[in-house]
Amino acid sequence: MNNELLFQQIQKKRSFLCVGLDTDIQRVPKNLLNAADPVLAFNRKIIDATADYTVAYKPNIAFYESLGWKGWHTLEKTVEYLKSKYPEIFLIADAKRGDIGNTSDLYARAFFEKLDFDAVTVAPYMGEDSVKPFMNYTEKWVVLLALTSNEGAADFQYLKNEESGDQLFESVLKTSQNWGTPENMMYVVGATKAEKLKEIRQIVPDHFLLVPGVGAQGGSLQEVAKNGMNSHCGLLVNSSRGIIYASGEKDFAKKAGEAAKAVQQEMELLLKEKGL
Amino acid sequence: MNNELLFQQIQKKRSFLCVGLDTDIQRVPKNLLNAADPVLAFNRKIIDATADYTVAYKPNIAFYESLGWKGWHTLEKTVEYLKSKYPEIFLIADAKRGDIGNTSDLYARAFFEKLDFDAVTVAPYMGEDSVKPFMNYTEKWVVLLALTSNEGAADFQYLKNEESGDQLFESVLKTSQNWGTPENMMYVVGATKAEKLKEIRQIVPDHFLLVPGVGAQGGSLQEVAKNGMNSHCGLLVNSSRGIIYASGEKDFAKKAGEAAKAVQQEMELLLKEKGL
């Protein structure tokens, strides 16, 4: 999917919400546990209930991988379901991969050929040749980790380079702009440091930013929009637990839909404020 | 597996070789392509032919993941084969994972519970809480990326911190020592910069180093041993393509065994020189 189509979806749905499909088998409501594939059954119902309010889904691969090959099978079936029923919705594999070139090639094959994701999150530590293989596919995207929302982000991401004065996450943003374009690259920017978003927007004015950490991790949507939105929105804000686990009972899908709608309505106002 | 047992294996086999099971379905010899699971059939024969000369195996997860859920099934069966037939051999999942704490928990579950690996390679970018969940398991190991062997290593790993004067990979080595011990943590150090190994040994005198990049990627085993070996060896040197693809014909297993034996013999001399 290209930039333009993604922006069209945002304008049409009045939303820049990404729903994280971090489906934990231990949190699937009891009434689904007799299904042949409880995680798939849960995902389908969550997707159907939230699709009107979201422009992207982001399965977190760890949740599927922790179930072994059966989990991968569930992931494949979830992607198939999404691509057949909601082909207009942007699909991000939250995988945080990254390895030497010939190995990244294979990760790209895993997520863009074997699975039909539109984007995959990639870790920058190993540099250019670990990232570029993911960009050899037309209309597929790398979502590169820049500033993450967890506590450990402080360990290395803020280290200041003696030559440029840039913090590591700033070096990542600046250097990686030579590897791709705003048409095939986005950045992960944690919402816990909303004031940082303003600085980041100056470095990458045109790129989409994938913002986790709104909700359970404590960021504010208003702050994110104020500091991060650009003329084509340029934001995908992720919420996982706040939506998919809005209820742990039989009514989980209905409640997830309501939670997604509430976020969408807030986003609609923010888009309107920006004249989008 | 603990440090002591690993060192015992090294002394017994006179080897610190790790064989990378980077099995590419496109390079599996024709005579195996009719097997129910050609990659598994290949792995079994490679393992049987090389087990006498190696103390560790390291499946590169990307190769399995690129085949979808069936690839994960093959990986599971490969691990089961190794653990039942060669329980004394150290098993490393080359996965380069790393995510926020609750997600790293799930990756740890994937590799240490669902699969019975002894160690997993982890990327440091997201800091402490992305790494520590892998160390909540007794006698399991994190192999943290420090200095990698690819060209892109130069993009960020050499950036010098203005406060400490440390390059990023040095900061990773120093900071991460507070997270674990030489009993549950190793480091990936590329062999393409053998002179760097000497510096790295001063920072982490006791930790095992996993050294890729000998062979196909161009490092020298002698240089690695000279600069990196400590009193309990402290090295695992990986070779993948040079061994598993020593021949692409019917004799692939025999040739792989010969290639592994040649490396082992070189290692035996290096251990002897060090008095081990």
Side-chain angles (χ1 to χ4, degrees), chain A residues 138-193:
Chain A
T138 310
E139 302 202 348
K140 301 282 187 184
W141 299 71
V142 160
V143 188
L144 195 67
L145 302 186
L147 186 59
T148 60
S149 59
N150 63 322
E151 216 176 294
D155 286 321
F156 307 118
Q157 294 168 27
Y158 293 123
L159 291 181
K160 214 172 204 176
N161 179 233
E162 69 169 15
E163 213 170 297
S164 64
D166 288 330
Q167 292 181 303
L168 178 59
F169 77 90
E170 294 170 317
S171 300
V172 167
L173 289 166
K174 289 180 183 175
T175 301
S176 64
Q177 281 186 76
N178 302 317
W179 307 341
T181 72
E183 279 290 342
N184 61 9
M185 198 161 215
M186 302 185 179
Y187 294 100
V188 172
V189 178
T192 43
K193 313 276 176 189

Side-chain angles (χ1 to χ4, degrees), chain A residues 16-19 209-211 214 221 224 235-239 267:
Chain A
F16 46 100
L17 174 61
C18 173
V19 173
L209 307 178
L210 173 63
V211 184
V214 171
L221 186 56
V224 169
L235 292 172
L236 293 173
V237 171
N238 185 74
S239 178
M267 288 175 165

